Amino acid sequence: MAEIFTGIPQIRYEGPQSKNALAFKFYDANRIVLGKPMREHLPFAMAWWHNLCNAGKDIFGDPTADKSFGAQKDTMEHARAKVDAGFEFMQKVGIEYFCFHDNDLVPEADDINETYRRLDEITDYMLEKMQATGIKCLWGTANMFSNPRFMNGAGSSNSAEVFCFAAAQVKKALELTVKLGGRGYVFWGGREGYETLLNTDMKFEQDNIARLMRMAADYGRSIGFAGDFYIEPKPKEPMKHQYDYDAATAIGFLRAYGLDKDFKLNVEANHATLAGHTFQHDLRVSRINGMLGSIDANQGDLLLGWDTDEFPFDVYDATMCLYEVLKSGGLTGGFNFDAKARRPSYTYEDMFESFILGMDTFALGLIKAAALIEDGRVDAFVKERYASYREGIGARIAGGDATLEECAANALALKAPAMPGSGRQEYLESVVNGVLFG
Ligand code: XUL
Ligand code: CO
């Protein structure tokens, strides 16, 4: 099989002084951080859809990049060419995982039976490549938002026929995830939401989404899927309002429907910021609820109100992300670059340089988060801030032993509380700057 990315070498670590655009400056796979090599802290994944399918088309313009990889678009030959390109790419950039939607892999046929057949054929080919290279599947999912049948959602569709088609896609995508040894299975609620409540039975739609997820979990376990299911929260886009708005909403939903034993969250940076949170906020909400499973690593543009899916370069955000991941004891999933090069960055070199940027940013985030934890001043400050709950009435409150009368009696005896202590935000921010740039 002919090389596709000719002229692009194996990407290697050359260190921060390197000026070589096609080398890592910070991602050094074998460097030990907090007792573990970087590659184990950072199981990076390539998103099939952005890297191999997206050619820069937007609502105002045609594609700018050529992702045909020498084949006629929308044929099985093209599907195979994408496999060839994908595996060559992952090997050259040195990432060990990929994520996929069913229809990233093959063109959808008019008859779902034929789509199933195409999926079987392409995953046989992928499996051969996986065995030859050691590259693995991080997670699979079904695209239940592009086809017009899903205009009103999948699990939340008003049409029971559409619900069945969604179920058929989930069933197959789960089987393929098991076949490819995927660690996880994702539900991103693409159009699981509404445009207007005037035509929407919100309760019924949410009940039905939960029914679809319950069916998927039961079926997945019955065919030997031992990994985690994930919900990927997003507040809006494409729908005006999506049911899995943010981490807190998704966790509430999972608990309300008894799905929290099978599901965790796949937190995407740009989705958190669209919800009006920081990336770290949604990671923290997930972590403290034992629900932080996997991450879609990208970033948005805070001046824009949509999902730009940029490759991450914000080291502050990456540091705070890795801080949450380290405190969580790692991920059951990994870091999927659900990110695309900007439309004017349309060359093969841009594909590689995008991943180098993203991987270097997260490597820096890991190094700096470990340094922040080892430095200890932020953690010590937070611990000290709540010191009043470690003795006396505070310890009784924190232990769940105090009554309302007892607390009130304490207040009456004090007459007025002391000032609660400075929050020292500016000091803490300067500690972070010192760790990042000192
Ligand atoms: C869309 C998005 C999806 C999911 C998988 O915003 O993030 O690509 O990650 O369906
Ligand atoms: Co995503």
Side-chain angles (χ1 to χ4, degrees):
M1 187 205 52
E3 190 179 2
I4 293 171
F5 302 106
T6 49
I8 296 183
Q10 181 72 38
I11 309 299
R12 299 189 194 286
Y13 171 72
E14 290 187 2
Q17 308 311 324
S18 171
K19 299 272 192 291
N20 178 0
L22 292 175
F24 294 118
K25 320 300 180 298
F26 303 101
Y27 181 65
D28 181 5
N30 296 318
R31 172 169 167 181
I32 304 293
V33 179
L34 297 178
K36 246 181 18 182
M38 267 192 181
R39 66 148 55 86
E40 285 178 30
H41 280 291
L42 299 169
F44 288 128
M46 177 193 78
W48 211 268
W49 53 103
H50 281 314
N51 205 42
L52 303 174
C53 308
N54 184 295
K57 184 173 169 5
D58 71 12
I59 47 171
F60 298 104
D62 295 335
T64 54
D66 179 4
K67 299 267 174 94
S68 63
F69 304 118
Q72 175 75 35
K73 289 283 278 283
D74 296 329
T75 60
M76 283 305 282
E77 186 205 356
H78 184 224
R80 290 173 77 88
K82 286 195 290 186
V83 176
D84 294 337
F87 279 85
E88 185 187 322
F89 182 89
M90 288 185 277
Q91 277 193 295
K92 282 189 168 170
V93 89
I95 67 174
E96 292 176 51
Y97 294 91
F98 62 87
C99 299
F100 72 92
H101 300 85
D102 47 2
N103 68 356
D104 301 333
L105 303 181
V106 296
E108 197 177 344
D110 291 338
D111 175 347
I112 192 172
N113 295 284
E114 169 59 13
T115 307
Y116 269 28
R117 196 202 58 73
R118 293 179 186 177
L119 286 166
D120 290 338
E121 183 187 319
I122 204 71
T123 48
D124 284 348
Y125 187 49
M126 288 164 72
L127 212 47
E128 276 174 37
K129 295 268 186 184
M130 291 169 74
Q131 278 152 5
T133 59
I135 287 170
K136 301 178 278 283
C137 173
L138 186 67
W139 52 255
T141 188
N143 178 324
M144 305 193 292
F145 43 90
S146 294
N147 192 296
R149 66 174 164 267
F150 296 123
M151 66 177 77
N152 297 331
S156 65
S157 176
N158 59 305
S159 158
E161 285 187 7
V162 172
F163 185 104
C164 290
F165 267 75
Q169 278 186 242
V170 171
K171 176 174 178 289
K172 190 65 178 172
L174 258 170
E175 289 164 1
L176 300 177
T177 302
V178 170
K179 174 174 172 181
L180 301 177
R183 278 198 193 185
Y185 184 89
V186 165
F187 280 88
W188 167 56
R191 292 184 195 271
E192 309 289 35
Y194 63 85
E195 295 295 325
T196 171
L197 286 175
L198 291 173
N199 66 13
T200 301
D201 184 338
M202 186 195 269
K203 169 86 169 69
F204 182 73
E205 291 198 358
Q206 294 202 8
D207 288 351
N208 264 358
I209 295 170
R211 288 183 186 110
L212 182 60
M213 289 181 174
R214 181 76 267 151
M215 290 178 196
D218 290 346
Y219 182 70
R221 300 308 177 209
S222 81
I223 60 167
F225 176 65
D228 282 325
F229 289 88
Y230 301 119
I231 283 190
E232 183 179 320
K234 187 174 183 182
K236 58 188 169 192
E237 198 200 1
M239 298 307 257
K240 177 175 122 177
H241 189 108
Q242 293 190 195
Y243 293 131
D244 45 15
Y245 192 93
D246 61 0
T249 311
I251 292 169
F253 171 87
L254 291 173
R255 288 186 178 153
Y257 289 99
L259 292 162
D260 50 319
K261 300 287 170 291
D262 291 294
F263 281 78
K264 287 190 165 62
L265 300 189
N266 180 41
V267 177
E268 176 163 325
N270 202 172
H271 294 180
T273 50
L274 278 178
H277 304 308
T278 59
F279 183 23
Q280 187 184 10
H281 171 95
D282 260 19
L283 293 168
R284 177 70 63 93
V285 168
S286 307
R287 165 162 85 82
I288 63 176
N289 284 287
M291 289 295 220
L292 178 54
S294 204
I295 285 176
D296 269 10
N298 62 13
Q299 72 178 48
D301 183 324
L302 293 181
L303 301 182
L304 302 175
W306 63 90
D307 196 12
T308 57
D309 281 345
E310 296 172 32
F311 273 88
F313 83 105
D314 185 326
V315 178
Y316 280 97
D317 266 4
T319 301
M320 294 313 171
C321 166
L322 264 301
Y323 176 85
E324 297 302 326
V325 171
L326 290 172
K327 291 276 177 187
S328 192
L331 300 170
T332 55
F335 295 82
N336 167 44
F337 287 112
D338 190 356
K340 56 189 176 206
R342 299 303 82 197
R343 192 162 179 266
S345 304
Y346 58 85
T347 68
Y348 283 169
E349 282 78 8
D350 290 311
M351 290 169 69
F352 284 86
E353 289 169 13
S354 299
F355 273 74
I356 290 168
L357 170 68
M359 292 163 77
D360 270 345
T361 300
F362 273 79
L364 261 173
L366 172 65
I367 293 165
K368 297 300 178 185
L372 197 61
I373 291 169
E374 278 173 338
D375 174 272
R377 279 175 290 171
V378 169
D379 287 341
F381 181 82
V382 173
K383 185 163 183 235
E384 196 44 36
R385 192 157 176 252
Y386 298 92
S388 65
Y389 287 93
R390 288 198 286 278
E391 57 190 30
I393 185 66
R396 286 185 53 73
I397 296 170
D401 302 319
T403 63
L404 196 66
E405 299 94 305
E406 193 183 345
C407 291
N410 193 278
L412 295 179
L414 283 171
K415 298 192 179 74
M419 288 285 276
S422 170
R424 301 189 74 191
Q425 180 173 332
E426 298 74 9
Y427 156 71
L428 295 164
E429 287 168 347
S430 99
V431 168
V432 171
N433 271 352
V435 168
L436 257 69
F437 304 108

